[in-house]
Amino acid sequence: MTKTSAPLSLYLKEATHTFHEDLDKSIMAHGLFSSADKYKNFVQLQYLFHRDINDLYNHTQLVEIIPDLASRNRFAQVCQDMRDLDLSLPDEGPSINIQDASTAIGWLYVAEGSKLGANFLIKLVEKIGFTENFGGRHLAADLGGRGPSWNAFKSAIDRAGFDPVLATAGAQAGFMRVKNYMTASIAN
């Protein structure tokens, strides 16, 4: 395992900054929040990503480190948003199978961190007629609030002793997966 003096959350933030920034710019450049039809593309890519990581919210090692991990999962909310938007659910695909906890936490870092940005996105969604109760459920804050939820997640991963190199590889793969889904969704 690679050691670093920086907390894992900071290490991941720095190591994935370019990936994160590129994804954010791409989403906004494609106007995925400019109309209901374009927003549907965003929800579809969210469905695919959250389907992929669904099983990670029950990862044996991770639930011991992050006790509320299962309740953080937004896959059910994304599925409901798909129904709200009259989008058919794609055929069930398997979640990614990652046994290594450090790699898995990198993928979850992407999903959990996106909840902070969702505070901005929900405002854009409301302008096109959707809310945290219809079509934008997956953008709603966790019960404890965005900041406290994110801080609790960071604190848990910072104390756990995950391998930062494996976690970074997982986070980078997660960002790339979302970007690939976005590229595919706008091509259709």
Side-chain angles (χ1 to χ4, degrees):
M1 175 162 32
T2 305
K3 293 285 183 191
T4 176
S5 60
L8 180 64
S9 59
L10 181 59
Y11 185 88
L12 288 172
K13 180 179 180 180
E14 292 172 358
T16 63
H17 174 76
T18 302
F19 289 82
H20 189 181
E21 189 173 276
D22 179 52
L23 177 60
D24 285 350
K25 285 180 181 177
S26 294
I27 287 171
M28 298 317 285
H30 288 96
L32 295 183
F33 296 89
S34 63
S35 71
D37 284 337
K38 288 188 176 188
Y39 175 64
K40 288 178 181 182
N41 290 332
F42 179 78
V43 174
Q44 288 173 318
L45 79 86
Q46 288 286 358
Y47 172 87
L48 295 171
F49 179 68
H50 285 280
R51 178 198 64 193
D52 289 350
I53 63 171
N54 188 41
D55 287 346
L56 295 183
Y57 283 93
N58 295 307
H59 189 285
T60 306
Q61 291 172 277
L62 299 183
V63 296
E64 293 177 12
I65 295 165
I66 307 164
D68 67 343
L69 188 61
S71 69
R72 291 171 170 274
N73 190 346
R74 291 182 287 166
F75 186 56
Q77 289 88 342
V78 175
C79 290
Q80 185 59 51
D81 289 340
M82 294 276 288
R83 289 188 285 277
D84 291 345
L85 300 171
D86 292 323
L87 296 169
S88 57
L89 297 177
D91 291 335
E92 285 287 326
S95 291
I96 55 173
N97 183 13
I98 298 174
Q99 299 301 315
D100 176 73
S102 292
T103 304
I105 207 64
W107 282 80
L108 291 177
Y109 172 85
V110 175
E112 291 299 306
S114 72
K115 293 176 182 179
L116 291 174
N119 190 43
F120 168 73
L121 299 180
I122 195 66
K123 292 175 176 73
L124 297 177
V125 167
E126 288 170 349
K127 290 179 181 178
I128 55 174
F130 303 110
T131 69
E132 293 179 352
N133 298 311
F134 184 84
R137 286 175 174 84
H138 76 282
L139 298 173
D142 287 338
L143 290 177
R146 292 183 202 282
S149 178
W150 176 241
N151 289 334
F153 179 80
K154 285 191 322 180
S155 178
I157 69 171
D158 287 346
R159 290 188 319 262
F162 292 116
D163 184 314
V165 172
L166 292 174
T168 298
Q172 290 173 344
F175 279 117
M176 290 305 301
R177 178 75 58 105
V178 175
K179 177 127 188 230
N180 290 339
Y181 284 144
M182 186 204 62
T183 303
S185 77
I186 59 173
N188 293 331

